[in-house]
């Protein structure tokens, strides 16, 4: 659920993409958010074959390996900190507030009394789950590879390519986010 007040269409779309993932597809007057775009044509970029140059950019700004989740009304977990299975020499600590949709009314008995223990336990379990999911998604840095290669069978942004560079230990399947095309040389 997303409530949008005093935001431009672009800002609203950015929030939707950030929360739910997907790819923004614009086609004249139609706007859609698709789970995936492009296709897999079996394109492989390999060192000593068609890879000319590779540059790697790491974004460590969102990385978290130690997290203090904060829930509804400032709720903290008894253990306070959650730790990721992925660890580095320096811990990446963050304090993150999470929205919790657990309603107190769901824990009332027939007489209207709230079972405080069950309600508090549900809030803690939800907060722990959200915190662990956050750690799993942000335990490693976001990586962007910039390649220079001679590619065939690339039709559009979003196409899946396999990148193999044994020197760097890179063997990944990824999606193409942009490309330069020389229309004079047709490559």
């Amino acid at each position: 659920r997303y409530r949008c007040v005093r935001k431009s269409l672009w800002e609203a779309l950015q929030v939707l993409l950030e929360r739910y993932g997907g790819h923004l597809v614009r086609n004249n007057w139609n706007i859609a958010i698709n789970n995936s775009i492009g296709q897999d044509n079996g394109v492989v970029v390999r060192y000593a074959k068609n890879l000319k140059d590779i540059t790697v950019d790491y974004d460590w700004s969102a990385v978290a390996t130690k997290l203090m989740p904060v829930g509804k009304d400032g709720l903290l977990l008894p253990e306070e900190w959650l730790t990721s299975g992925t660890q580095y020499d320096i811990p990446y600590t963050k304090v993150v507030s999470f929205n919790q949709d657990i309603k107190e009314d769901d824990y009332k008995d027939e007489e209207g009394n709230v079972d405080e223990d069950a309600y508090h336990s549900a809030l803690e379990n939800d907060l722990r789950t959200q915190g662990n999911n956050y750690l799993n998604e942000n335990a490693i840095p976001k990586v962007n590879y910039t390649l220079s290669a001679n590619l065939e069978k690339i039709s559009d942004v979003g196409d899946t390519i396999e990148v193999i560079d044994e020197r760097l230990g890179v063997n990944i399947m990824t999606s193409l986010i942009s490309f330069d095309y020389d229309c004079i040389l047709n490559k």
Side-chain angles (χ1 to χ4, degrees), residues 54-185:
I54 185 169
T55 306
V56 183
D57 294 318
Y58 295 95
D59 180 9
W60 289 83
S61 63
V63 173
T65 58
K66 190 173 180 182
L67 177 72
M68 179 186 285
V70 179
K72 187 175 187 177
D73 298 327
L75 174 70
L76 295 175
L77 295 174
E79 63 269 26
E80 287 190 10
W81 293 94
L82 297 175
T83 306
S84 170
T86 304
Q87 292 297 315
Y88 302 101
D89 293 338
I90 300 169
Y92 289 86
T93 59
K94 287 195 177 197
V95 177
V96 178
S97 295
F98 293 97
N99 292 329
Q100 294 187 285
D101 295 332
I102 297 176
K103 295 177 178 56
E104 196 173 30
D105 293 340
D106 295 341
Y107 294 90
K108 288 185 178 179
D109 58 15
E110 295 83 29
E111 295 144 10
N113 299 325
V114 176
D115 183 355
E116 291 292 332
D117 291 335
Y119 176 62
H120 188 73
S121 178
L123 285 172
E124 281 184 357
N125 289 336
D126 178 61
L127 185 59
R128 189 174 288 110
T129 300
Q130 287 190 56
N132 283 324
N133 289 342
Y134 184 89
L135 281 174
N136 290 337
E137 292 173 11
N138 295 292
I140 58 174
K142 305 292 185 249
V143 181
N144 187 25
Y145 293 95
T146 303
L147 307 173
S148 175
N150 292 328
L151 300 177
E152 297 176 8
K153 299 188 270 182
I154 294 291
S155 60
D156 203 357
V157 170
D159 285 358
T160 301
I161 60 172
E162 183 176 9
V163 180
I164 302 172
D165 188 341
E166 292 87 3
R167 302 169 305 157
L168 300 176
V170 174
N171 186 351
I172 58 170
M173 293 292 286
T174 187
S175 295
L176 193 64
I177 58 172
S178 69
F179 65 92
D180 294 326
Y181 182 76
D182 187 336
C183 60
I184 295 174
L185 298 176

